[in-house]
Amino acid sequence: MKTRITELLGIEHPIVQGGMHFVGFAEMAAAVSNAGGLGIITGLTQGTPENLKAEIERCRAMTDKPFGVNLTFLPAVTPPDYPGFVKVIVESGVKVVETAGNNPAKWLPMLKEAGIVVIHKCTSVRHALKAEAIGCDAVSVDGFECGGHPGEDDVPNFILLPRAGEELKVPFLASGGMADGRSLVAALAMGADGMNMGTRFIATKEAPVHQNVKDALVAASELDTRLIMRPLRNTERVLVNAGVERLLEKEKELGDKVTFADIAAEVAGVYPRILRDGDMDAGGWSCGMVAGLIHDVPSVQELIERTMAEAEQIIRGRLVGLLDA
């Protein structure tokens, strides 16, 4: 299947793995790239530029296909070593970067000069247009269904994707609620050039996370996510657990007076405890409503092959058949 995204990224299938905290290690990225998609190493998960360099080298030893690095720009009193991370990405010869969070304009000249394709994650059409205007090569449009931070507009993909298609000139990926061939065909029908899958890739054999996490995703329904940190305007969609319930009780009790310090026990440093150690009640970790469409834990290769076969069957069979009926 050829789309503007497959051509831009040099990949076989229009499927990109989201840059997920404590999931986007070399094993995950290489598996997706080897299966014909674009795997993504999560930069900030590595902690330091030196660790990121080692992770890129480790990934390169596992695949000769294109892969990318996610770099999320966070507002912080003591920010990560962004100059160091960007320098490592450039010097390591990475050809695709997925940016997220704050405006990446400051870093674009250095990335573009190195011939790197930049995809920026956006939760609204206005942000996507801004990304296009500053020179991003593509955008990932995240609907309200997505795991992680869906923004504050609460617009689902059935509206957001067609709106993006009306406004954008650059290629864009559909992100949020993407799980299978049905998702891909729907995304293409609404104007996207491919899809970005995050939560679905966590429930694969190669995902470097605790088995408890994969089991929780298979057991979850579409009703099992919650929105936390809404009063702080830093909304995050997470899988419900005892820690999340404690956090929501604090938010309910304190209302608009809640501060990050009040809920730090359920959000600060919980990712390794959950994803690495399997402590499923530690607190909030990003998970999309797409959990309701996850029923098994295949290999990445099996998942991508199944997705593409299902997409082709829908297009050639059901959709063309409707026209011929």
Side-chain angles (χ1 to χ4, degrees), residues 4-35:
R4 292 190 296 170
I5 282 291
T6 63
E7 298 294 291
L8 178 67
L9 303 180
I11 56 178
E12 184 180 357
H13 306 306
I15 298 173
V16 175
Q17 167 233 321
M20 297 169 284
H21 201 32
F22 276 88
V23 180
F25 292 100
E27 297 90 342
M28 183 83 265
V32 174
S33 291
N34 283 331

Side-chain angles (χ1 to χ4, degrees), residues 30 186 197 221 246 295:
M197 288 202 300
S221 84
R246 287 195 304 272
H295 309 302

Side-chain angles (χ1 to χ4, degrees), residues 1-11 14 132 137-138 164-165 168-173 188 191-194:
M1 184 182 289
K2 284 188 177 181
T3 72
R4 292 190 296 170
I5 282 291
T6 63
E7 298 294 291
L8 178 67
L9 303 180
I11 56 178
E132 180 180 78
D137 301 284
L168 292 171
K169 296 181 177 64
V170 296
F172 68 97
L173 293 159
L188 296 171
D193 300 280

Side-chain angles (χ1 to χ4, degrees), residues 165-183:
E166 289 176 355
E167 301 282 353
L168 292 171
K169 296 181 177 64
V170 296
F172 68 97
L173 293 159
S175 182
M178 301 293 121
D180 51 32
R182 295 171 298 181
S183 310

Side-chain angles (χ1 to χ4, degrees), residues 233-278:
R233 292 191 63 78
N234 187 35
T235 300
E236 182 179 7
R237 186 178 296 281
V238 299
L239 191 68
V240 68
N241 58 46
V244 168
E245 296 285 15
R246 287 195 304 272
L247 186 159
L248 290 172
E249 277 300 313
K250 292 178 185 178
E251 290 187 345
K252 182 178 178 182
E253 180 183 341
L254 295 171
D256 291 342
K257 294 184 175 64
V258 69
T259 67
F260 184 80
D262 295 319
I263 59 173
E266 288 79 31
V267 293
V270 301
Y271 271 77
R273 290 170 56 194
I274 295 168
L275 294 163
R276 184 187 64 203
D277 303 335

